[in-house]
Amino acid sequence: MKLKKLPPEYEKAIPVLNKLEQAGFQAYFVGGSVRDILLKQEIHDVDIATSAFPEEVKQLFPRTIDIGIEHGTVLVLVNEEQYEITTFRTESAYQDYRRPDHVEFVRSLEEDLKRRDFTINAFALKEDGQIIDFFDGLSDLKRQILRAVGNPKERFHEDALRMMRGIRFVSQLGFKLEQETAIAIQENHPLLEKISVERINVEFIKMLLGKERSVGIKTFVETQCYIYCPGLREYGEALLRFSDLPNESLKTESQAWTLLIDQLALQENQVRFFLKQWKCSNQMIKEVQLLVFGLNRRKKRLLDAQTLYHLGKEAALKVEELMFYFGEMPQLKKVAQQYDRLPIKSMGELAIDGKMLLTESGKKPGKWISEALQLAEEAVVAAKVVNKSDELFVYLKQNNTF
C-alpha cells in the first residue's frame, strides 16, 4: 500500500529521513502515528526508526539530546522541531515483565518491528508514502481486529502493560481482540501485579475516555484485568453496570473518575483513599471530590445557589454534563445563567471583611470572625440579605454574631 500524500507533520520531517539515507542508513516513520494516518485520525508524534546506531545518528545531526540512548533513542533538534530517532533493536528476556535485561542494536527493520505490541502498531512508512507491513496489520486494520505481533503470550510477558494497552485500544478504536490475543490476556492478567500503578493509571483513563468505552470496560472485566487494578477487585458487577451507561465519550479525566466512583457507589469520604490508591495527583483528587459532591446533589434535584457557589461555574457545568448518563438532557445554559446570577462568586467579593468586623464590634479577634463571615457569605448567596456592609452588620447583629 502506498499513501498518495503524507500529513504536514511527516512532510516536515522528510529531510531528517533523507539525511540518514544519504549517509547509507535506512530510516522510516514508525509507531502509532502511522496507524492514525491510516485511520484518518489526528497525529501527535512523529517517531523515526533507523538502522543507524545512536553514535552514528549523533554524528549526522549537530543538535541532539540523549533521552534514552541506552535503549537506542536520540532526540534530534531540527529548526523548531524535535524528533525521537530510535535505532532498530532486539530485546533480551524480560525478568520483571516491564523492561528487557538488555537491548541489542540491529540493522534489520523486520527484527525491530517484531518486538512491537500489536500488528496495527507495527507499520513502517517510507518518505514516498510506501507502507511496510510485515505482520498483516493492514488486514487487521481493515477488519478492525487487535492482534498481538507474533506470540501474544511472549508479547505480554515482555511488558505486561500491553494487556491494558490492548483493552485501551479496544475502547479508543472500537476494535475487537483477536481470539488468541484475548485468550493470552485472560491467562496472563495476573502479570499486571508486576506493573506500577502509575503506568496502569495512564492506560485505564484512556480506556475510560475512549469513544467505545462500553466495549472497553466489558473487555476489561471479561479478561479479569480489573482484579489487579487498585480498589476494583470486588467491583466486577459494578463495572459491567458502568459499561451499560450511554456510550457517549466522556470529556475529561475528572468526569471519568466521578462517573466511575458513582457507579461503584463509593461514599464521599471514600473518594480520596480510592484515588490515592490510583496515585492520582492531589489536584485531581480535589477536583473529583468536588464533582462527586455536586453529582450526588444534582441527581436528587437541580443545584441550589449554595451548591453552585461551592462548586464554581466550571465544576457545576461538568456535573451537569454528567446528567446525560442518567437519562437527563444537561441544562448547561440554565446552570450557567443561575451561576452568573449569584450575588457573589467568592468570599473576596463580600462587602465586609475581618478588619471591618473588629472595628464595628469592638470585640477582640477570635474564631467568631470566621464564623460571622461564613454566616454573611451564606446569607448573601441565598439572597437573604443584600451584599452591603451596613445591611450585613444588621443581619449579623440580629443573629447574635456580635
Side-chain angles (χ1 to χ4, degrees), residues 76-94:
V76 171
L77 309 177
V78 180
N79 299 323
E80 301 301 318
E81 304 298 327
Q82 53 187 37
Y83 304 102
E84 287 190 12
I85 299 181
T86 303
T87 301
F88 300 157
R89 67 193 192 193
T90 59
E91 296 170 343
S92 65
Y94 288 63

Side-chain angles (χ1 to χ4, degrees), residues 3 6-7 9-11 13-14 16-17 20-21 26-38 42-52 71-74 82-89 107-135 149 165 169:
L3 301 179
L6 297 182
E9 297 91 339
Y10 273 34
E11 288 185 343
I14 286 177
V16 177
L17 267 65
L20 287 161
E21 290 168 341
Q26 300 174 56
Y28 303 88
F29 296 116
V30 295
S33 59
V34 179
R35 174 202 67 230
D36 290 338
I37 291 171
L38 296 170
E42 181 182 355
I43 67 172
H44 301 284
D45 301 302
V46 177
D47 294 325
I48 297 170
T50 180
S51 60
H71 298 295
T73 302
V74 176
Q82 53 187 37
Y83 304 102
E84 287 190 12
I85 299 181
T86 303
T87 301
F88 300 157
R89 67 193 192 193
R107 301 291 188 183
S108 165
L109 173 65
E110 185 172 2
E111 285 297 313
D112 178 77
L113 295 179
K114 278 182 181 178
R115 66 180 180 79
R116 306 283 169 165
D117 51 9
F118 302 101
T119 60
I120 63 170
N121 295 333
F123 300 119
L125 175 63
K126 298 182 70 173
E127 69 269 27
D128 63 359
Q130 185 67 44
I131 297 287
I132 310 299
D133 177 22
F134 292 117
F135 309 106
V149 173
R165 279 172 55 81
F169 284 127

Side-chain angles (χ1 to χ4, degrees), residues 178-344:
E178 178 267 338
Q179 186 177 7
E180 287 188 17
T181 302
I183 291 173
I185 294 177
Q186 290 173 331
E187 291 178 347
N188 293 279
H189 66 267
L191 295 178
L192 285 174
E193 196 170 28
K194 310 287 185 180
I195 303 301
S196 71
V197 172
E198 290 86 350
R199 294 182 72 205
I200 293 176
N201 182 320
V202 172
E203 301 300 332
F204 182 68
I205 285 300
K206 288 180 179 179
M207 179 191 78
L208 292 185
L209 295 176
K211 65 178 182 179
E212 297 294 339
R213 180 189 67 256
S214 178
V215 66
I217 294 175
K218 287 177 181 176
T219 305
F220 182 57
V221 175
E222 289 167 359
T223 57
Q224 296 187 291
C225 287
Y226 77 97
I227 293 174
Y228 291 91
C229 291
L232 296 183
R233 178 178 288 271
E234 308 299 326
Y235 288 100
E237 291 185 9
L239 287 167
L240 289 177
R241 288 197 298 271
F242 186 16
S243 73
D244 288 336
L245 292 179
N247 201 37
E248 185 77 12
S249 296
L250 288 155
K251 292 183 178 180
T252 68
E253 179 180 345
S254 60
Q255 287 174 310
W257 284 119
T258 300
L259 196 56
L260 171 65
I261 286 166
D262 177 86
Q263 295 302 293
L264 299 183
L266 297 183
Q267 300 301 308
E268 289 181 29
N269 61 6
Q270 296 176 300
V271 173
R272 182 172 181 80
F273 177 74
F274 177 73
L275 295 179
K276 274 293 186 182
Q277 287 181 287
W278 277 96
K279 306 294 185 182
C280 292
S281 69
N282 287 331
Q283 180 179 349
M284 179 57 61
I285 292 172
K286 184 177 180 181
E287 182 175 351
V288 174
Q289 286 178 311
L290 190 64
L291 295 186
V292 170
F293 162 82
L295 182 61
N296 285 341
R297 283 144 188 82
R298 177 61 182 88
K299 285 167 64 180
K300 297 175 183 176
R301 67 185 79 85
L302 288 173
L303 298 176
D304 58 25
Q306 292 291 353
T307 306
L308 282 170
Y309 178 78
H310 180 69
L311 289 173
K313 190 172 187 177
E314 182 179 349
L317 291 173
K318 285 182 177 180
V319 166
E320 189 64 26
E321 286 174 340
L322 290 176
M323 293 311 296
F324 170 83
Y325 301 97
F326 301 95
E328 287 192 34
M329 185 60 65
Q331 302 181 51
L332 298 176
K333 184 177 180 180
K334 183 175 182 178
V335 169
Q337 289 174 340
Q338 287 178 319
Y339 181 83
D340 290 341
R341 286 198 296 267
L342 290 176
I344 58 173

Side-chain angles (χ1 to χ4, degrees), residues 94-106:
Y94 288 63
Q95 297 299 325
D96 58 5
Y97 308 100
R98 293 172 294 178
R99 297 178 295 269
D101 291 345
H102 68 271
V103 170
E104 182 177 343
F105 302 138
V106 296

